Amino acid sequence: MLKLLNLLKDGRFHSGEALGAALGVSRSAVWKQLQHLESELNLTIHKVRGRGYQLAAPLALLEAQAIAGFAVGEQWPVFIHETIDSTNAEGLRLASEGQAAPFLVLAERQSAGRGRRGRQWVSPFAENLYYSLVLRVDGGMRQLEGLSLVVGLAVMRTLQAFGVKDVGLKWPNDVLVRGQKITGILLELVGDPADVCHVVLGIGINVNMQVNEQVDQQWTSMRREVGAAIDRNHLVALLSQQLQHELARHRRYGFAAFQEEWEQAHLWQGRNVSLVAGSTRIDGVVLGVDGQGGLRLEVDGMEKSFSGGELSLRLRDDS
Ligand code: BTN
């Protein structure tokens, strides 16, 4: 199917005969694949007698070569899928099978994209970025401290480089524009975090998505913010470059080196919040983050730190 898409992506007309010849299949097999593209990937294909088939709009797909063309610095091996359950899941699988890290898994679409706290990450075809960077960590827990917050900073800087304004962070790792989510980050681990493990930095950026009824929270996209389509290959290259830079700093100096910078980007500094973990709720005022990336709250006049992937932060009505 990716081959057929690559033939059609220019948005021009292609005859059934020409498509069949290029793919080495019959015209009826082409027809079946076209139907599959429409139903599975939600693409609109115009069919005009005597002219052939045309995508309703040209498609810019992810391509390793195009990414390399924009890249500066170290280039990680990249695995690009047309459809995958989850780029994070694939990253974890490849790491367990012995694929040498660092490497990158990208997909045009995820059929079971994973969000935080067991939620689904809506992942329509060829509109957004589903990006998982797999790293090997053998320096113990310190290398993991505050890592997801550092990823948030790297994403924020990348979005700013593309002209997105008013980007900020919400602990631990939401990236928001005027209260609307533009990126979600999910870190997953395989192995022994106290010894050798692999960590997957999963990043979902709303890039060119303009409408979507399935997303159940306030959202925006880069395209909505800057008013123009974004080249996703360029985005992959810049994001990777930014991550390389911040991850090297994090490895060398730990999260403490990011603490102040992170607090400056934090949208909820000084706000009245509730920290929720299952049925437990703690009310407090946000003071900032500690040297390990934990959230510092003032609770009943005392400073306390909180950390953990299952925690979620909400604004209190009186904030
Ligand atoms: C969140 O809930 O805010 C985190 C969402 C993380 C989504 C990304 S998309 C790429 C990677 N693969 C996944 O299955 N999830 C992450």
Side-chain angles (χ1 to χ4, degrees):
M1 267 214 322
L2 204 50
K3 221 170 158 195
L4 176 57
L5 263 180
N6 271 308
L7 294 167
L8 288 171
K9 71 178 182 190
D10 57 9
R12 299 202 178 140
F13 274 106
H14 297 264
S15 72
E17 206 174 346
L19 292 174
L23 297 174
V25 300
S26 67
R27 284 175 65 174
S28 68
V30 170
W31 174 249
K32 268 197 198 138
Q33 283 196 34
L34 288 165
Q35 281 183 317
H36 196 64
L37 286 183
E38 285 193 306
S39 61
E40 280 288 302
L41 306 184
N42 223 2
L43 293 171
T44 305
I45 299 170
H46 297 145
K47 306 160 189 89
V48 177
R49 197 181 284 263
R51 297 190 73 187
Y53 306 100
Q54 178 197 41
L55 276 180
L59 262 185
L61 296 174
L62 294 167
E63 282 174 52
Q65 243 186 336
I67 296 168
F70 288 113
V72 184
E74 189 193 346
Q75 283 179 50
W76 298 311
V78 53
F79 299 92
I80 302 178
H81 297 268
E82 178 232 277
T83 301
I84 196 93
D85 52 352
S86 143
T87 54
N88 268 23
E90 177 65 4
L92 292 171
R93 281 192 292 266
L94 288 173
S96 313
E97 286 162 12
Q99 171 65 43
F103 64 90
L104 206 54
V105 182
L106 307 175
E108 294 291 5
R109 178 176 80 129
Q110 297 184 115
S111 54
R114 299 174 179 173
R116 288 184 69 224
R117 290 176 284 118
R119 292 169 71 162
Q120 187 209 358
W121 187 255
V122 176
S123 310
F125 179 77
E127 293 186 1
N128 296 328
L129 190 62
Y130 316 117
Y131 177 112
S132 294
L133 171 63
V134 183
L135 302 173
R136 184 188 146 105
V137 177
D138 47 16
M141 295 297 277
R142 189 171 167 269
Q143 279 196 32
L144 297 170
E145 281 171 3
L147 187 57
S148 71
L149 283 74
V150 170
V151 175
L153 265 180
V155 170
M156 187 185 89
R157 300 268 176 258
T158 308
L159 297 180
Q160 287 168 335
F162 276 88
V164 180
K165 302 221 166 24
D166 303 324
V167 200
L169 303 172
K170 181 194 135 191
W171 188 88
N173 49 18
D174 278 346
V175 185
L176 307 174
V177 174
R178 295 182 308 280
Q180 305 166 96
K181 190 140 163 173
I182 193 163
T183 298
I185 295 166
L186 178 69
L187 265 59
E188 296 187 77
L189 276 177
V190 61
D192 178 359
D195 185 16
V196 177
C197 69
H198 284 88
V199 59
V200 183
L201 313 182
I203 302 172
I205 304 184
N206 296 335
V207 185
N208 291 321
M209 188 161 79
Q210 300 200 82
V211 269
N212 195 304
E213 314 265 289
Q214 279 175 283
V215 183
D216 61 357
Q217 54 188 326
Q218 296 275 17
W219 64 272
T220 187
S221 66
M222 295 176 75
R223 182 171 186 163
R224 277 190 175 183
E225 294 304 315
V226 301
I230 302 292
D231 182 328
R232 291 178 306 142
N233 290 306
H234 192 190
L235 177 61
V236 170
L238 282 201
L239 176 62
S240 301
Q241 194 183 324
Q242 194 68 46
L243 279 167
Q244 257 165 44
H245 177 74
E246 306 297 5
L247 292 173
R249 247 177 92 200
H250 181 253
R251 255 193 312 275
R252 193 149 178 208
Y253 305 110
F255 181 73
F258 293 85
Q259 198 175 343
E260 212 180 297
E261 189 182 342
W262 198 92
E263 286 179 352
Q264 272 166 20
H266 195 205
L267 296 162
W268 288 7
Q269 284 293 111
R271 304 290 297 266
N272 291 330
V273 295
S274 296
L275 189 64
V276 181
S279 55
T280 313
R281 186 183 125 168
I282 296 158
D283 291 342
V285 179
V286 177
L287 298 175
V289 284
D290 64 22
Q292 290 78 43
L295 180 72
R296 292 188 299 119
L297 286 186
E298 187 190 304
V299 183
D300 300 329
M302 304 250 293
E303 180 174 328
K304 292 188 177 166
S305 277
F306 300 88
S307 56
E310 294 309 305
L311 299 173
S312 99
L313 200 57
R314 298 181 197 158
L315 279 181
R316 281 209 319 265
D317 297 341
D318 54 346
S319 71

